[in-house]
Amino acid sequence: MSAITAYARAMLSVAEADGKLEQVTDELFRFGRALESSDELLMTLSDRGIEAGRRQQIVEDLLASGASATTVGLVSMAVGAGRARELPDMITEMIRLGASSRNREVAMVRSAIPLSDDQQQRLANALAEATGNDVDVLVTVDPSVVGGIVTTIGDTVIDGTVRGRLAQLREVF
Amino acid sequence: MISLLNILAAEEPNGKFLPGDVNEFYWSSLAFLVVFAVMAWKLFPLAAKGLRAKADRVEDELAAAEKAQADADAEVETLMAKLGNADADAAEILEDAGATAQKLKVDAAAKAAADADALKARTMADIDGARAHATADLRSELAAQALAAAEAVARENLDDSAQLDLVEQYIDQVGASA
């Protein structure tokens, strides 16, 4: 078992034990995407030249207002252990393990605009019909897609973004 | 004989054929004969032997000279023959050198022509490559600019309503693909 999988299992166990799996999963997913999109934040949290306590304090300052204590604690634990660079992979693995334990699949969705609960539910239903499995939808707002949605389920990518269409045009050229 | 003649010459002439004292003539003749006999017995063989040895040496030297002459003549003939061969060899070498030079000239000309052809081919290939590269770069640059413009236009025109339409279309398409 790799360190990433070990941490993912531990994070999943803590979230389940607190009875906040869905909320923690969503918060971790959003934090993971934010970490991936910010090199400065990633470098700061993974900089061993900064004391672990200081790095954990940065995490708490960032998440305290918008995340549960469980989420803050899990992220702080990983950052304090010097695993900030692997944190996005840990979160993805944790989400995959959680969904798998419930015989569900996870759809990572990037949208140019926030999706309403109704839209998320309809998207989850549509993806469930398309894949034949129940699907948990995790949405992040990503203005870089310009417009539309791109969904990743396992190794499958369903790209309906303007940026994706522009990329297809670039390949044609 | 010489001694006898000297003795006779030393005497004063007495008007006769023989000297005045006949005995002296006899004794002198006897002494002469004794001396001559001793000389004939001991000296003449030695002289003859020496003469023969000298004659032999001369003969040997003559023979050696003749042999040397013969050897020299043979050597001259050999040298002359070699000289003749040398001339032939020199002519052959010159002929070979000429043939080699001609072949080298032909080869060099062929190689120069081949090198020129290869250089021309490489140059043409480089030109074609550069042209294709420049064309591709230009096409890529045009595409990038066109796509950037398209993205800018899209961002400009994608208001909330359009964004919602895109989301709804996406959900419908995913559902329709089931």
Side-chain angles (χ1 to χ4, degrees):
Chain A
M1 183 189 304
S2 69
I4 289 174
T5 304
Y7 272 90
R9 287 187 185 282
M11 293 163 75
L12 180 62
S13 298
V14 171
E16 287 176 336
D18 285 355
K20 299 176 179 176
L21 179 59
E22 189 174 347
Q23 179 186 358
V24 170
T25 297
D26 187 62
E27 291 169 355
L28 286 174
F29 175 71
R30 294 173 192 277
F31 181 77
R33 299 290 83 81
L35 198 56
E36 283 181 329
S37 62
S38 173
D39 290 338
E40 187 178 2
L41 178 59
L42 182 61
M43 287 179 62
T44 301
L45 296 183
S46 59
D47 186 355
R48 290 180 178 273
I50 301 173
E51 288 184 8
R54 175 65 185 137
R55 281 182 275 137
Q56 289 173 316
Q57 184 62 49
I58 293 171
V59 170
E60 290 168 10
D61 291 344
L62 282 172
L63 296 177
S65 62
S68 66
T70 304
T71 299
V72 175
L74 289 174
V75 174
S76 180
M77 178 265 300
V79 170
R83 299 285 183 175
R85 198 166 290 278
E86 295 102 320
L87 192 52
D89 290 337
M90 289 178 194
I91 293 169
T92 301
E93 179 67 4
M94 175 207 161
I95 292 169
R96 190 191 66 77
L97 289 172
S100 178
S101 67
R102 291 176 284 119
N103 294 320
R104 299 175 72 88
E105 290 192 77
V106 178
M108 312 278 191
V109 175
R110 285 190 295 149
S111 171
I113 58 173
L115 300 184
S116 66
D117 291 342
D118 176 60
Q119 286 170 326
Q120 290 190 36
Q121 187 57 53
R122 284 191 288 120
L123 179 58
N125 292 339
L127 290 169
E129 288 183 22
T131 61
N133 295 314
D134 291 334
V135 177
D136 289 338
V137 173
L138 295 173
V139 180
T140 53
V141 177
D142 184 358
S144 71
V145 302
V146 183
I149 295 174
V150 57
T151 302
T152 303
I153 303 179
D155 295 330
T156 303
V157 177
I158 306 169
D159 193 348
T161 62
V162 173
R163 175 166 290 280
R165 291 173 189 173
L166 290 172
Q168 289 175 344
L169 275 177
R170 182 177 287 112
E171 290 179 4
V172 170
F173 279 111
Chain B
M1 179 63 74
I2 295 172
S3 300
L4 180 59
L5 291 175
N6 286 338
I7 293 168
L8 292 174
E11 290 295 326
E12 290 292 328
N14 58 5
K16 297 180 181 176
F17 180 72
L18 293 174
D21 190 351
V22 174
N23 288 332
E24 189 177 346
F25 173 75
Y26 290 147
W27 283 110
S28 297
S29 298
L30 181 62
F32 172 75
L33 290 173
V34 168
V35 170
F36 185 80
V38 169
M39 289 177 66
W41 180 43
K42 289 292 185 183
L43 197 58
F44 287 177
L46 289 175
K49 187 178 178 181
L51 288 174
R52 279 199 302 274
K54 188 173 182 181
D56 289 344
R57 283 200 304 274
V58 170
E59 285 180 358
D60 289 343
E61 288 174 357
L62 285 174
E66 287 177 356
K67 185 176 183 305
Q69 180 67 41
D71 291 345
D73 290 344
E75 186 68 20
V76 167
E77 287 182 7
T78 303
L79 290 173
M80 291 302 289
K82 285 184 177 178
L83 191 59
N85 290 337
D87 289 343
D89 291 345
E92 185 177 352
I93 289 169
L94 285 174
E95 187 177 349
D96 289 347
T100 302
Q102 184 63 26
K103 184 175 184 304
L104 288 174
K105 184 179 176 182
V106 171
D107 290 347
K111 185 175 185 304
D115 289 347
D117 290 343
L119 180 61
K120 184 179 177 183
R122 282 200 303 273
T123 304
M124 293 304 293
D126 289 345
I127 291 171
D128 290 343
R131 182 186 295 132
H133 191 67
T135 304
D137 284 349
L138 182 60
R139 181 178 298 160
S140 177
E141 181 63 24
L142 287 173
Q145 290 186 8
L147 290 171
E151 182 175 334
V153 170
R155 284 185 185 279
E156 194 72 22
N157 292 286
L158 280 176
D159 55 13
D160 291 346
S161 174
Q163 291 281 11
L164 283 173
D165 286 344
L166 285 174
V167 170
E168 293 299 329
Q169 284 176 17
Y170 181 83
I171 294 172
D172 291 343
Q173 286 173 359
V174 171
S177 67

